Amino acid sequence: MAAADISVHGVLIAEMLLLVAVNDKGRVPFGSDSFVNIGLTGALLAELAIDGRLTIDEDGTVRAGDTRPGDALLADAYDAVREHLEGRKAKRVIGGLSRHIGGSRKRVVDRLVEGGVLGRDRPSAFRPTRHPVRDRAARQAVLDEVRAAATGDGPVRPDIAVVLALIGPCRLLERVAPERGTRGEAKRIARVTAETPFAPTVAKVVDELIAAVAATATTIAAS
């Protein structure tokens, strides 16, 4: 995806979540790395669920659908579920997916680098690689839509709803509501998925995935 062609529509949920998380230097808020990593994994699974390629049985176990996605990253996530994680509860799938696809965050960063939205700078062999924002307009388009959804009063698109639902577990509220005066309005994030036109079966799966991300984040915070 060329940088000039990127828009909010057609961008993966995980890409939107990462673009919300990072600042211009490509850094997430201090102390939020582990939470964002878990959120990105949940975002990939939620995308599969929205597309009907992932379900959760009545006993809470995750199942892959019958159709493999065409997108390379989603296909790898689908394959990992089908081959390694199927039949496990959502929290265990979220905990195990990243290592089977080469790192959820690394894969999402690589996509954004390939699209020209993020850069890849290695100052020296002794300093970590940095991923500053290269296409600030593309990142701002994502931020604007997510922030508008967080402070608005109507239904939002399913992909944006998932991003908003992951904001809390990922400790990113300040990215979505940077002005203290908007924090109260942003509380609508807690109910936004209920107002979103998911198919009933998809809504249940997404809710369970978000709950599993939140539970995993709580475990990280307590450790």
Side-chain angles (χ1 to χ4, degrees):
M1 183 189 317
D5 296 332
I6 194 169
S7 64
V8 176
H9 300 278
V11 179
L12 293 187
I13 296 169
E15 291 178 279
M16 287 192 285
L17 181 64
L18 186 61
L19 289 175
V20 169
V22 298
N23 62 15
D24 287 346
K25 296 181 179 180
R27 298 171 182 166
V28 303
F30 179 76
S32 295
D33 280 281
S34 296
F35 304 114
V36 170
N37 293 346
I38 291 295
L40 292 172
T41 299
L44 292 172
L45 293 169
E47 188 111 39
L48 291 176
I50 290 172
D51 290 342
R53 294 184 169 94
L54 184 140
T55 61
I56 296 180
D57 289 344
E58 289 299 322
D59 63 359
T61 56
V62 174
R63 301 288 174 189
D66 296 328
T67 307
R68 190 173 186 264
D71 178 272
L73 176 51
L74 294 179
D76 285 349
Y78 172 90
D79 289 344
V81 172
R82 195 174 188 87
E83 297 170 11
H84 304 288
L85 302 167
E86 194 167 44
R88 300 183 186 185
K89 297 294 179 70
K91 187 176 178 181
R92 291 191 64 192
V93 174
I94 286 170
L97 179 68
S98 183
R99 68 176 177 271
H100 288 295
I101 63 173
S104 298
R105 184 161 167 184
K106 178 183 181 303
R107 294 294 303 276
V108 175
V109 166
D110 286 348
R111 284 177 67 101
L112 291 170
V113 170
E114 289 167 8
V117 182
L118 298 182
R120 195 189 304 276
D121 297 339
R122 184 78 182 272
S124 73
F126 305 101
R127 297 174 65 186
T129 301
R130 299 178 300 184
H131 300 285
V133 176
R134 292 281 187 246
D135 189 339
R136 296 191 180 186
R139 173 172 172 266
Q140 193 62 47
V142 171
L143 278 175
D144 288 347
E145 182 156 1
V146 173
R147 286 172 175 172
T151 57
D153 57 6
V156 301
R157 295 201 326 267
D159 54 348
I160 299 294
V162 173
V163 174
L164 289 177
L166 290 168
I167 291 300
C170 291
R171 310 299 198 264
L172 296 175
L173 181 58
E174 290 187 4
R175 288 280 196 251
V176 174
E179 302 296 332
R180 289 189 179 275
T182 67
R183 299 282 172 81
E185 292 175 279
K187 289 180 180 178
R188 110 179 186 93
I189 291 172
R191 68 176 190 275
V192 74
T193 51
E195 302 171 349
T196 303
F198 293 109
T201 54
V202 172
K204 178 178 182 294
V205 176
V206 171
D207 284 346
E208 292 193 32
L209 288 171
I210 299 300
V213 169
T216 304
T218 300
T219 301
I220 291 172
S223 63

